[in-house]
Amino acid sequence: MSKQQWMVAGAAFALVTACAQTSKQDEAVGGRAESEMAVPMVRPSAPAAAADMAMVRSQKRMAESFHGGVMPGYYAPPPEQHRENYAHLKDNGILRAAEQPVSTFSIDVDTGAYANVRRFLRQGQLPVQDAVRVEEMINYFDYGYAPPKDRAQPFSVHTEIAPTPWNAKTHLLRIGLQGWQASGPLPPSNLVFLVDVSGSMHSPDKLQLAVSSLKMLVQQLGPNDRISLVTYAGQSGVVLEPTPASERVKIISALDRLQVGGSTAGASGIELAYAMARQGNIEGGINRVLLVTDGDFNVGVTNFEQLMDMVERERKDGVALSTLGFGTGNYNDHLMEQLANCGNGNYHYIDGLEEARRALVASRASTLLTIASDVKIQVEFNPAVVAEYRLIGYENRALEREDFSNDQVDAGDIGAGHNVTALYEVALVGSGGERIAPLRYGSNKPAGTAQELAHLRLLYKQPGETASRLIEQPIGRDAVKTSLSQASESFRFAAAVAAFGQNLRGGRYTEGFDNGALLALARAARGDDADGWRSEFLQLVQLADSLSQPVRTGAMESQECVSERGCG
């Protein structure tokens, strides 16, 4: 075809795509309010469905004339972000230790929220508050905790307490876990790449980026590893049965042939991926499904709870599920994060090749190899020393007190080399940092010894075991540091990240701790930054600060006049 013919064909194709996308957006937006827990569903009309099929057939004919099935020069316009799906979470509140001394939660090693927030900021807009999970912001960074002495205990435990940067009358208690790091080769892996090739994945930041990311992982695997490739759109299919990773040319060729088209029957794809995982099962090895999608499941089983139940059933057979999220516009963060939780896996949002390298190459061991499962943390605060406390983040990881000792209750897993950080803001008795008046008829008499600030308990299971093991240690009052300058560099940087995440969620408890003070704290605690992640964090804070500043132009003033005040 001539260049002019290609331009005409491309314009017609874009027009059909836009019409179909508009129809889907209108129907999805109209139905989303029916249930906050439901995955957005799209039910195209018969004419729209026919247009979609015509588009797919046309695209396939045009793409087949090119190596790899990618049409040159065509980029779909970025979709609108109001269709993105996030779980609404209310910030943890302040609790009086005399009334509720025990705090229980599951650990979280996901980092998807941080990369997603970065994507928002780089696109020139502040993230929606529900996209910000503060614990995932904090856990994006390595804080250099000392590892355990040997494999017998899968992780070490570290605590530190110092004054809060945003409130001189309170303190931050940091609890850090550092996973054991394998020094030799990993156990053999049986990996199933479950790739969404539906029409919604047609953009450079979706399928193209996903294929490039998976190629990075393929290059890291050895002859004892196996890879299967399953795709799903209107129907699911096996592109590659379990294949030795040494056959890289075959695997990469299969990835390069992937093409988009059709609606998204994600549930049937998950079922087929688990079947491939069972077929290629490696006894004593790593058996895991990697779900690669924007999360926009819209045909077949789309109910949120049904999808999670399916994944929970399959994990009992020893096959984990991790999620790799891509793209914008119709992105379903809620589904991606919760499926990974139920699948005993982790959740990454991939906003570029550098993040893909970080998650799948540099952190391959922690992404693939689980060293401790169902890890729970319980902190009992001593009311004689601690007046109030609040857990920063982990809102959707909260557990009931009785869940701690119940081995049937699922919790988070730690991968090899993972580190996990949790922060509590605490007001000590008599500090003046208390916010809640004591109960009139409650018992206000402090109990316990004044030598202990809190007692820390951790439960975990060794891989393959069903009974939990207990680690516990007291946190002494003598560990409290009198000034923030005495705290470790990593403590101060973690505090800066926590402040940033809270500010992005509205800053309810950060006492007006602005970005200038936050930047000063983070810069002074940047420390060794070989990979540049901490320097990038400073840039993101500055971006957020710029986007938060009101711009007073005549056009904006006129718009505000119409939309907010009505000028009259």
Side-chain angles (χ1 to χ4, degrees), residues 72-150:
Y74 175 74
Y75 294 94
E80 298 178 22
Q81 291 180 338
H82 66 268
R83 290 186 60 222
E84 297 189 0
N85 192 333
Y86 299 95
H88 177 65
L89 299 172
K90 184 179 178 181
D91 292 344
N92 288 324
I94 298 170
L95 300 173
R96 280 185 57 82
E99 299 165 15
Q100 294 178 262
V102 178
S103 170
T104 308
F105 64 98
S106 162
I107 63 128
D108 185 2
V109 297
D110 295 338
T111 60
Y114 183 89
N116 195 25
V117 165
R118 178 175 61 202
R119 182 260 299 185
F120 271 98
L121 294 173
R122 285 179 171 173
Q123 289 182 344
Q125 57 184 314
L126 293 172
V128 295
Q129 290 187 12
D130 287 335
V132 183
R133 289 183 291 277
V134 181
E135 74 277 7
E136 294 185 26
M137 304 281 289
I138 297 169
N139 285 325
Y140 190 82
F141 297 94
D142 183 358
Y143 297 106
Y145 303 131
K149 295 180 180 179
D150 56 55

Side-chain angles (χ1 to χ4, degrees), residues 151-152 154 180 284-285 369-374 413-414 460-467 469:
R151 181 70 175 83
W180 169 81
L369 178 61
T370 299
I371 60 171
S373 60
D374 292 338
D413 298 346
I414 293 181
Y460 70 95
K461 296 173 185 172
Q462 290 279 9
E465 294 185 353
T466 57
R469 304 186 184 196

Side-chain angles (χ1 to χ4, degrees), residues 7 107 144 210 309 405 418 443 447 513 524 556:
M7 292 175 65
I107 63 128
D309 288 345
S405 56
H418 257 146
S443 174
F513 190 67
M556 176 170 287

Side-chain angles (χ1 to χ4, degrees), residues 120-352:
F120 271 98
L121 294 173
R122 285 179 171 173
Q123 289 182 344
Q125 57 184 314
L126 293 172
V128 295
Q129 290 187 12
D130 287 335
V132 183
R133 289 183 291 277
V134 181
E135 74 277 7
E136 294 185 26
M137 304 281 289
I138 297 169
N139 285 325
Y140 190 82
F141 297 94
D142 183 358
Y143 297 106
Y145 303 131
K149 295 180 180 179
D150 56 55
R151 181 70 175 83
Q153 182 173 309
F155 53 84
S156 56
V157 183
H158 305 268
T159 61
E160 187 173 2
I161 183 167
T164 306
W166 54 84
N167 187 344
K169 295 180 180 180
T170 65
H171 288 73
L172 282 184
L173 168 62
R174 180 177 71 166
I175 300 170
L177 311 181
Q178 177 60 54
W180 169 81
Q181 177 65 67
S183 55
L186 297 179
S189 298
N190 165 39
L191 304 179
V192 181
F193 297 162
L194 174 57
V195 182
D196 180 356
V197 293
S198 64
S200 69
M201 291 289 287
H202 195 301
S203 67
D205 63 339
K206 292 189 179 182
L207 185 60
Q208 292 179 31
L209 178 57
V211 167
S212 298
S213 302
L214 293 175
K215 287 179 182 178
M216 286 186 179
L217 178 55
V218 171
Q219 297 294 341
Q220 305 303 309
L221 302 177
N224 295 325
D225 301 316
R226 301 172 189 168
I227 293 176
S228 306
L229 178 58
V230 176
T231 61
Y232 65 93
Q235 294 180 340
S236 302
V238 176
V239 177
L240 198 66
E241 294 197 349
T243 302
S246 56
E247 298 184 28
R248 288 190 177 88
V249 173
K250 181 178 180 180
I251 297 168
I252 289 174
S253 177
L255 288 168
D256 280 337
R257 290 196 303 271
L258 297 182
Q259 300 177 14
V260 299
S263 51
T264 315
S268 62
I270 292 176
E271 291 175 337
L272 187 55
Y274 277 119
M276 283 295 100
R278 288 190 291 270
Q279 180 178 323
N281 180 69
I282 298 177
E283 192 68 29
I286 299 169
N287 297 283
R288 186 177 296 267
V289 174
L290 295 179
L291 173 59
V292 177
T293 179
D294 58 11
D296 188 21
F297 295 1
N298 51 41
V299 299
V301 178
T302 56
N303 180 273
F304 195 89
E305 297 297 338
Q306 285 182 273
L307 287 168
M308 291 199 297
D309 288 345
M310 180 192 307
V311 173
E312 286 177 356
R313 289 194 302 270
E314 296 287 355
R315 78 177 181 219
K316 295 176 181 178
D317 293 333
V319 180
L321 180 136
S322 293
T323 55
L324 304 177
F326 292 83
T328 65
N330 58 340
Y331 186 64
N332 194 334
D333 170 89
H334 187 194
L335 178 64
M336 299 295 284
E337 195 251 351
Q338 289 298 301
L339 284 180
N341 291 351
C342 293
N344 284 351
N346 37 38
Y347 160 49
H348 297 279
Y349 178 80
I350 308 298
D351 60 338

